Amino acid sequence: MNMANGSDNLDIHAIEKKWQDWWEREEIYRFDPKSERPVFSIDNPPRYASGRLHAGHAVHYTHIDFVARYKRMRGYNVFFPLCFDVNGMPIEVNVEKKYGIRMREHDRHKFIKLCEDFAEENMEEMKRQFKVLGESMDPSIYYQTDSPDYRRLTQISFIKLFKRGEIYKGDYPVNWCPRCGTALYDAEVEYKKNLTNLNYIKFRVKETGEPLIIATTRPELLATCQLVAVNPSDERASTLVGKKAVTPIYGREIPIVADEKVDPDFGTGVVMICTIGDKDDLQWVFKYGLKLEKGINEEGRMTEITGPLSGLTIKEARERIIQILKERDLLLKQEEIEQNIGVCWRCGTPIEFIHKKQWFLKTLEHREAILRMADEIKWYPEFMKTRLVDWVNSLSWDWVISRQRYFATPIPVWECENCGYILPAEEEQCYIDPTVTPPPVEKCPKCGGTLKGSEEVFDTWMDSSITPLYNTFWGRDEGMHKRLFPMSLRPQSHDIIRTWAFYTMLRSYLLTGKKPWEEIMMGGFILAPDGTPMHTSKGNVIDPLEIKEEYGTDPIRYFAAMCTLGKDSPFRLKDVKRGKQIIIKMWNIMRLVARCYEGIASRTLMELVRKSPEDIPLHTIDKWLLTHYSRMVKTATESADRYEFDKVVRAASDFLWHTLADNYLEAVKYRIYSEKDPAVIYTLYNVTFGLMKIFAPFMPHITEEIYQRCFRSLEEVKSIHLTLWPTPILEDPVATDKGEKIFEMISAVRRWKNTERIPLGEEITAVSIAGDISLNAEEMRDFKEAVRARQVRAARIEDLKETILDIKLKFNLLGPVYKEKTSEITRFVKEGRWREQREYLAKGFIKVPVKGEDVTVPEDYFEVVKGWTLEGRDVNKVKAGSTLLLIEK
Ligand SMILES: [Zn+2]
Ligand SMILES: [Zn+2]
């Protein structure tokens, strides 16, 4: 074994680098499409190519890597692609920031090129990061979502659904980010609190000429005001309803209605309804059948119908209209209030509602089907399913799948500029960019008008919601698709249940009628050490590579393993440090274990360790260890099957540190060093090999190093990561109970040595065991060697006698009473002559001869120190459970 001789200094960084290169070279993690083994396929989240990974991403992907490595060791042919998401706004926004440019002021195709280059740079860096973090993703099944192959599939899936009527173009109000110039789906709208002015504006009742004060936060939308409403319980309702209100500045006459939805306590209890300022307005619009008027255009500027505000930005328009209202004495007062406003998830700009033709994918009518599908998928942790169910039940619109951006998959249609006729591309044509490729027919088949390629692109989720279809060769290789679909597992974070999980289920349902995966696993977030979510924009991110530089990758992965599935966890450096300690412990244990085999021929060793435990003369404590090991394997396997990796690592670490190192190894050192006992070799080989395998998915580098040094020469598999997950070896409850008692006795003696300040390795004379335990010769021997006693024997409690060990004079009392006799008394005690006076002592005094005369000293003047003797020898009494240990120093 390489470990015991020569170069065995532990250089974590060198070891990690060495194996990362070797795994890559040897293609250890390659998916084998020809293999007969069962497939375990992972719908790995394609990483956004928008920036470097922070510690949160690192932990997220490392969790997924645990699954891949575990399943490989369970004998699966694991499909775990390296992949990137290279589409959409995150990249565009970063490119705009990087170059200080605005997308719309730039040439479309030049801007796309900048996005591609930016993504390329990031992907190269992230591939390096993934490698350095020890992720076992397979580059042989690599994909990125902007490749023509991938986009082809996105387009084909669109064409199929369009032809089936599942996709339509509708004239609907949409959430709109004026900065990004694009429609947003509800899930992309975030909410934040902000302060704004509530403006009390003077309207007029047409019939009576009386003023009507209405409070609003959106005075710039006054031009589109079409209705005034009051709560029916309001006492003004009876006189107002049915009359008309006249809007200030614009002089428009609009109906006044009563509506339960008006909050009588907000502002003046009268509201103006515009088309459209916010989601509430939208409900009125539908209820009262109001005409959609466009006050704000796609660039976030006011339209012509706003008169004097036309061309201004929303902010400018608000200032301007307040100024006009003031000038005309139409503004009664302003109050500052806090409000919850919807903002763009990418850039934080308040969103607007505008109405614009958009592409929609029918969502609402498939809700029931999605909910049924959610029940067919196994959720880890289970409670995450509720989030999807709640979301599906709360949906009120279909999915807006079009975006007015550049860097994404183009919508493969041409539209007639005259009649709006839509001509989709043929599936065989895809991938195409209709802004570049001319339509297959020259003129609109309906009216003969000009056909123009769509400049719109798909929402990024249109690409990423077909990852399971792409991964399983849908539309490319039907045979493979049949074999691989549904995929085994979708791992993802819980913040994109409403988007990625939901859309994938919807697309899979519509395109295949089947669920996309058997299982879904939800990771939590990694919080900054202060407990807030880690965000690159907040500057509180931790760079995993910096931590790696100091501690190594395996310790970071140990921390990742300690994060509970589905829970948000703060970054804990102490776990990283603990991970490093465990590596060092493993290393030292393996050096000791390797000494067992020193000098034993491989063949002999192989025959020995492959035997069944019944054929080995195992000691009780060997059986104890093998049973504990087997129980740990069982726990670890059950937890890993539920993806609860923290429980796996906790069980393995506890076993390593306490059961194996503190207890067993200490007790069997003599059998390793001087006897090369086959029972110990058998036990240690199998237990440590299995233990290294359990650690392998989590700390792949150190376990590979140990495997190659200590086990590889006897095992046929070239990497520990291709070996099979261990199984229990022995379950012997009787031996385990007895072993428990033996170790209880061993720790009692060791604790006693500690309090007596005797080094653990120092020999003691004897330990006598009194109690209901009876040890056989082997057990006696193991116990004796473990506690370093020259002799161990059984004793009877009846033979134990209480005795006086010493007496201590109380000089402060003695002196004043016994005066000059004190020195004689002191000498008498010191010389131990009191020992001949046990009879007097039993009665509570001693007699000291001073100048021929006996002086009686009662117990008031001394203290008796009591102890125990066993057959006349002084012993210390130590309890170990129900057993009594009598120790002779
Ligand atoms: Zn935006
Ligand atoms: Zn036409």
Side-chain angles (χ1 to χ4, degrees):
M1 297 297 123
N2 296 336
M3 230 135 152
N5 30 357
S7 63
D8 51 5
N9 282 335
L10 179 61
D11 180 345
I12 293 179
H13 298 288
I15 285 173
E16 291 183 347
K17 175 82 177 66
K18 176 176 69 180
W19 295 118
Q20 284 159 11
D21 290 341
W22 186 77
W23 294 330
E24 190 176 59
R25 216 166 44 238
E26 298 290 320
E27 298 186 319
I28 295 293
Y29 307 121
R30 194 183 170 109
F31 169 72
D32 180 359
K34 297 195 186 80
S35 164
E36 299 280 295
R37 280 178 301 146
V39 171
F40 188 90
S41 53
I42 300 173
D43 188 12
N44 197 25
R47 172 67 210 148
Y48 266 142
S50 57
R52 289 164 58 88
L53 302 172
H54 62 56
H57 307 132
V59 168
H60 186 47
Y61 280 99
T62 300
H63 261 218
I64 303 168
D65 186 60
F66 295 159
V67 179
R69 290 178 179 277
Y70 171 65
K71 293 291 181 182
R72 262 183 222 112
M73 295 179 77
R74 291 300 298 270
Y76 287 98
N77 183 17
V78 170
F79 181 100
F80 183 33
L82 176 67
C83 48
F84 293 97
D85 193 359
V86 195
N87 274 320
M89 273 169 66
I91 293 171
E92 290 173 339
V93 171
N94 276 299
V95 165
E96 286 182 322
K97 268 192 214 153
K98 184 176 172 185
Y99 297 102
I101 54 174
R102 295 289 294 263
M103 183 181 85
R104 291 195 194 288
E105 293 155 8
H106 225 76
D107 173 77
R108 184 184 186 93
H109 296 285
K110 277 184 189 155
F111 187 81
I112 290 174
K113 181 76 175 65
L114 288 179
C115 290
E116 283 169 355
D117 292 348
F118 178 80
E120 197 56 44
E121 228 173 79
N122 281 324
M123 285 188 290
E124 280 317 304
E125 172 59 12
M126 280 189 282
K127 280 179 199 167
R128 188 183 77 86
Q129 283 180 304
F130 281 142
K131 179 180 170 182
V132 165
L133 291 167
E135 316 295 2
S136 65
M137 295 157 191
D138 181 356
S140 77
I141 42 176
Y142 174 86
Y143 71 87
Q144 60 187 65
T145 58
D146 67 333
S147 72
D149 235 19
Y150 197 102
R151 285 183 167 177
R152 174 180 159 265
L153 221 57
T154 305
Q155 290 185 332
I156 287 177
S157 71
F158 165 86
I159 293 165
K160 282 189 195 297
L161 295 178
F162 175 73
K163 287 184 173 166
R164 266 169 46 193
E166 294 290 352
I167 289 175
Y168 62 96
K169 202 161 189 193
D171 192 10
Y172 272 94
V174 288
N175 299 302
W176 186 266
C177 174
R179 200 214 72 91
C180 300
T182 189
L184 300 171
Y185 195 44
D186 277 6
E188 294 172 327
V189 177
E190 287 177 355
Y191 289 87
K192 72 173 188 195
K193 286 207 185 325
N194 99 348
L195 284 177
T196 189
N197 280 326
L198 183 62
N199 307 284
Y200 289 75
I201 297 173
K202 285 183 199 164
F203 282 54
R204 192 162 50 82
V205 180
K206 184 194 166 200
E207 287 81 356
T208 62
E210 285 169 16
L212 180 63
I213 309 300
I214 296 180
T216 179
T217 57
R218 303 294 308 267
E220 71 279 11
L221 292 173
L222 204 51
T224 67
C225 179
Q226 293 193 40
L227 199 66
V228 163
V230 56
N231 191 290
S233 69
D234 192 310
E235 53 185 25
R236 292 169 294 178
S238 55
T239 56
L240 285 174
V241 174
K243 296 200 170 73
K244 296 225 151 153
V246 181
T247 62
I249 300 174
Y250 299 96
R252 193 171 191 180
E253 293 174 12
I254 55 174
I256 303 173
V257 298
D259 196 299
E260 298 278 357
K261 284 207 73 182
V262 177
D263 177 1
D265 297 326
F266 181 78
T268 61
V270 186
V271 298
M272 66 175 212
I273 292 150
C274 303
T275 60
I276 37 184
D278 59 24
K279 233 181 169 175
D280 287 338
D281 283 343
L282 202 63
Q283 289 171 353
W284 307 104
V285 167
F286 289 128
K287 182 166 178 187
Y288 293 99
L290 305 179
K291 191 172 147 255
L292 285 167
E293 289 176 316
K294 192 167 171 178
I296 298 169
N297 71 14
E298 292 92 73
E299 282 88 50
R301 290 187 183 273
M302 306 309 289
T303 59
E304 278 174 16
I305 64 167
T306 62
L309 309 182
S310 176
L312 299 180
T313 66
I314 296 159
K315 190 163 168 275
E316 290 163 353
R318 193 171 300 170
E319 285 163 11
R320 179 80 186 106
I321 196 145
I322 291 294
Q323 193 190 357
I324 298 172
L325 289 166
K326 275 185 186 159
E327 281 164 12
R328 303 194 192 171
D329 195 24
L330 292 166
L331 183 71
L332 191 73
K333 61 172 178 172
Q334 290 185 305
E335 275 171 6
E336 196 166 69
I337 59 158
E338 193 176 70
Q339 67 170 178
N340 225 352
I341 55 158
V343 298
C344 169
W345 70 307
R346 277 293 152 195
C347 72
T349 304
I351 58 128
E352 294 297 335
F353 280 82
I354 70 162
H355 92 273
K356 191 174 165 62
K357 279 221 184 307
Q358 296 287 349
W359 288 96
F360 287 85
L361 174 58
K362 286 182 185 167
T363 306
L364 298 179
E365 59 189 63
H366 304 303
R367 282 193 286 198
E368 287 307 313
I370 301 299
L371 291 175
R372 275 199 306 275
M373 192 182 264
D375 284 335
E376 290 169 21
I377 294 168
K378 248 180 124 21
W379 293 70
Y380 298 96
E382 176 74 32
F383 67 83
M384 289 288 181
K385 187 167 88 180
T386 324
R387 296 205 192 174
L388 181 96
V389 171
D390 290 349
W391 174 246
V392 172
N393 286 327
S394 76
L395 286 171
S396 51
W397 293 355
D398 283 336
W399 175 16
V400 186
I401 56 170
S402 46
R403 295 290 183 272
Q404 290 66 43
R405 304 291 302 181
Y406 293 168
F407 188 54
T409 303
I411 299 184
V413 297
W414 294 269
E415 292 173 72
C416 173
E417 288 188 315
N418 182 38
C419 74
Y421 179 81
I422 292 163
L423 179 70
E426 292 300 323
E427 289 185 20
E428 299 72 46
Q429 276 183 287
C430 298
Y431 159 77
I432 64 143
D433 181 348
T435 65
V436 178
T437 308
V441 290
E442 237 169 73
K443 298 278 173 204
C444 169
K446 209 170 133 196
C447 77
T450 312
L451 291 168
K452 189 170 182 277
S454 171
E455 289 191 347
E456 290 179 304
V457 295
F458 287 121
D459 174 8
T460 320
W461 299 114
M462 270 297 275
D463 298 288
S464 50
S465 60
I466 56 163
T467 52
L469 295 176
Y470 185 86
N471 277 326
T472 58
F473 300 87
W474 181 79
R476 290 184 292 163
D477 180 340
E478 270 318 291
M480 277 298 269
H481 177 66
K482 274 216 173 75
R483 244 182 90 198
L484 295 174
F485 194 83
M487 294 187 78
S488 312
L489 176 72
R490 154 64 69 82
Q492 64 164 72
S493 62
H494 60 60
D495 60 324
I496 50 175
I497 292 177
R498 307 188 311 179
T499 48
W500 198 33
F502 172 65
Y503 294 144
T504 308
M505 289 165 73
L506 177 68
R507 302 290 298 291
S508 177
Y509 167 72
L510 290 175
L511 293 164
T512 72
K514 286 188 202 161
K515 61 181 169 183
W517 344 269
E518 304 291 345
E519 302 178 335
I520 185 165
M521 170 183 102
M522 296 289 162
F525 284 138
I526 298 305
L527 308 174
D530 62 2
T532 63
M534 214 177 268
H535 283 300
T536 312
S537 57
K538 274 184 157 180
N540 64 351
V541 299
I542 289 173
D543 182 350
L545 297 196
E546 276 172 26
I547 306 282
K548 178 225 160 295
E549 279 311 312
E550 189 168 353
Y551 298 95
T553 295
D554 281 350
I556 298 180
R557 294 177 61 104
Y558 177 84
F559 157 68
M562 296 311 279
C563 298
T564 307
L565 184 68
K567 278 200 182 152
D568 295 347
S569 316
F571 183 78
R572 291 178 300 258
L573 194 58
K574 78 172 176 31
D575 280 354
V576 177
K577 289 179 179 169
R578 175 73 180 163
K580 189 164 177 186
Q581 286 171 348
I582 286 184
I583 289 172
I584 294 168
K585 191 80 180 175
M586 259 181 210
W587 187 254
N588 291 333
I589 287 173
M590 291 317 297
R591 286 171 64 173
L592 177 65
V593 171
R595 289 190 62 171
C596 286
Y597 325 145
E598 258 182 317
I600 300 179
S602 294
R603 200 197 174 84
T604 319
L605 188 57
M606 184 133 68
E607 275 166 17
L608 171 67
V609 299
R610 298 270 197 282
K611 279 186 180 165
S612 130
E614 301 83 63
D615 301 331
I616 306 282
L618 295 170
H619 292 198
T620 301
I621 61 170
D622 304 334
K623 292 178 191 161
W624 171 88
L625 186 76
L626 286 165
T627 302
H628 272 295
Y629 163 79
S630 302
R631 290 173 186 173
M632 182 273 292
V633 169
K634 209 163 157 278
T635 306
T637 309
E638 285 164 1
S639 303
D641 282 339
R642 291 190 304 265
Y643 307 125
E644 291 169 359
F645 299 117
D646 54 331
K647 290 183 183 157
V648 181
V649 172
R650 244 180 261 277
S653 304
D654 258 19
F655 179 83
L656 170 91
W657 207 279
H658 302 294
T659 315
L660 178 63
D662 285 354
N663 287 318
Y664 183 76
L665 281 178
E666 286 300 326
V668 298
K669 270 184 180 157
Y670 81 99
R671 288 162 68 195
I672 297 177
Y673 288 131
S674 47
E675 303 186 353
K676 301 227 181 285
D677 181 343
V680 171
I681 295 175
Y682 173 87
T683 306
L684 279 178
Y685 185 94
N686 286 299
V687 164
T688 55
F689 186 23
L691 184 61
M692 289 308 119
K693 287 184 187 180
I694 288 180
F695 274 115
F698 312 103
M699 298 161 127
H701 306 87
I702 185 68
T703 50
E704 182 78 284
E705 178 75 15
I706 288 172
Y707 175 74
Q708 300 293 344
R709 282 174 179 249
C710 302
F711 303 105
R712 174 70 177 94
S713 64
L714 293 196
E715 305 293 330
E716 275 153 29
V717 183
K718 73 175 175 184
S719 161
I720 190 168
H721 303 298
L722 300 176
T723 63
L724 286 178
W725 188 255
T727 49
I729 296 175
L730 182 73
E731 174 59 45
D732 185 338
V734 177
T736 305
D737 274 2
K738 193 142 190 213
E740 225 65 75
K741 283 186 180 145
I742 295 172
F743 282 108
E744 202 171 24
M745 285 161 35
I746 294 172
S747 10
V749 176
R750 300 175 114 223
R751 269 198 309 276
W752 172 82
K753 277 188 168 179
N754 263 327
T755 54
E756 295 289 314
R757 299 179 189 282
I758 300 170
L760 292 182
E762 194 170 300
E763 279 204 331
I764 47 178
T765 307
V767 180
S768 304
I769 305 166
D772 52 8
I773 187 169
S774 81
L775 302 184
N776 63 29
E778 231 167 55
E779 293 160 350
M780 280 285 201
R781 175 97 199 278
D782 286 337
F783 173 68
K784 171 175 166 286
E785 295 291 340
V787 300
R788 307 277 297 136
R790 278 192 286 276
Q791 218 181 3
V792 172
R793 53 189 164 231
R796 297 185 316 163
I797 290 185
E798 304 87 87
D799 296 334
L800 186 66
K801 299 257 157 31
E802 193 167 26
T803 182
I804 295 167
L805 294 179
D806 200 3
I807 65 176
K808 286 184 175 153
L809 294 168
K810 298 176 179 170
F811 292 104
N812 56 336
L813 303 178
L814 198 67
V817 177
Y818 291 92
K819 307 231 161 55
E820 72 282 353
K821 292 170 191 151
T822 303
S823 58
E824 267 311 301
I825 297 169
T826 307
R827 188 176 314 126
F828 178 84
V829 170
K830 260 196 179 155
E831 286 167 2
R833 282 150 66 197
W834 58 270
R835 287 177 200 275
E836 294 141 24
Q837 298 194 351
R838 290 192 191 265
E839 265 170 58
Y840 296 150
L841 273 165
K843 290 174 189 160
F845 59 87
I846 48 171
K847 280 187 173 174
V848 182
V850 181
K851 292 175 185 156
E853 180 195 334
D854 277 352
V855 178
T856 301
V857 182
E859 219 178 288
D860 303 342
Y861 297 93
F862 58 86
E863 198 185 308
V864 177
V865 182
K866 290 190 173 169
W868 301 89
T869 61
L870 184 70
E871 293 157 359
R873 300 183 305 273
D874 287 347
V875 292
N876 291 273
K877 198 169 85 173
V878 171
K879 260 182 92 76
S882 57
T883 308
L884 211 52
L885 302 176
L886 308 164
I887 307 173
E888 288 168 55
K889 274 193 195 168

